[in-house]
Amino acid sequence: MKKIKSFFVILLLSFISTNAQSANDYLIYVSNFYDKHPTHIKVYRSGYWVNQATILKNSSKAIFTSSANCEKNQYGKLILSLEPKIFYNPLMTTLYGGITAKIYGHDGKIITTIYSEDETQGILTVLYEKLVDKLYKKILIQLQNQISTNEAINLYLQKNSEPIEGTFCSILN
């Protein structure tokens, strides 16, 4: 009888823990368009095709630690739709970039749009991903600061505590 009771207690606790999903702060969405249509960065006579979506997704996970990819069965307080742009100046050995973030609420409306840009020094080589990642991380830190101080976002978060389910992002494709 004790075994049966303990079995049901364990079953009940596991059921509660799987259904009590804690919402992430952000669900990150980066369109696969940026991988299907990579950006060509020219370095004198050669160049590199940069799959921006993959690099930006990895960079955003490092900066927005309480986040998940925007997909089914993931929950978050806000959805960040990120759109990257990069440009390399080989004479100045400077990589320039910017990220436009559209922030969505649970009703599917854009709360606000924030643009952040920066630059980083470095010679573009075969390991261009490291330089692009470094630039994206700098921009995402700025973006994180802008989001935390944005009045529209703070007002939205005060009024709405309902988490957003990740299937919402399927309409962003």
Side-chain angles (χ1 to χ4, degrees):
M1 187 69 170
K2 286 184 180 181
K3 288 182 181 180
I4 293 172
K5 283 183 182 179
S6 62
F7 172 75
F8 281 114
V9 168
I10 292 171
L11 183 66
L12 180 64
L13 290 175
S14 66
F15 179 75
I16 290 170
S17 67
T18 57
N19 286 333
Q21 294 183 356
S22 60
N24 296 296
D25 287 340
Y26 308 108
L27 292 179
I28 306 290
Y29 174 77
V30 181
S31 175
N32 289 331
F33 170 85
Y34 298 104
D35 277 350
K36 291 178 184 173
H37 304 282
T39 301
H40 188 261
I41 296 179
K42 192 155 179 69
V43 183
Y44 298 111
R45 293 186 184 135
S46 64
Y48 303 100
W49 290 97
V50 179
N51 294 329
Q52 293 185 79
T54 303
I55 299 170
L56 183 55
K57 286 177 186 177
N58 292 334
S59 300
S60 63
K61 286 179 188 175
I63 300 302
F64 297 108
T65 55
S66 179
S67 67
N69 287 334
C70 193
E71 54 193 29
K72 187 177 180 179
N73 295 326
Q74 296 292 332
Y75 293 87
K77 296 175 187 172
L78 297 169
I79 292 178
L80 303 181
S81 176
L82 305 177
E83 300 171 3
K85 293 182 178 93
I86 55 173
F87 170 76
Y88 184 69
N89 183 341
L91 294 174
M92 301 295 289
T93 63
T94 304
L95 182 65
Y96 302 93
I99 296 175
T100 302
K102 295 179 183 174
I103 294 104
Y104 291 88
H106 77 278
D107 56 359
K109 294 180 182 174
I110 294 178
I111 298 168
T112 189
T113 301
I114 299 173
Y115 181 74
S116 189
E117 62 185 2
D118 209 332
E119 62 186 60
T120 190
Q121 295 291 125
I123 297 173
L124 213 57
T125 64
V126 177
L127 300 174
Y128 63 85
E129 292 96 347
K130 290 184 178 189
L131 190 61
V132 174
D133 178 60
K134 180 181 175 183
L135 174 65
Y136 283 160
K137 285 180 180 174
K138 283 176 70 174
I139 296 170
L140 289 168
I141 289 170
Q142 290 178 10
L143 190 64
Q144 187 178 39
N145 293 335
Q146 289 175 319
I147 289 171
S148 66
T149 59
N150 188 289
E151 287 182 35
I153 294 171
N154 289 328
L155 185 63
Y156 170 83
L157 290 173
Q158 288 173 0
K159 291 182 178 180
N160 299 295
S161 61
E162 184 178 330
I164 308 163
E165 207 268 328
T167 54
F168 170 82
C169 292
S170 63
I171 66 169
L172 297 176
N173 285 328

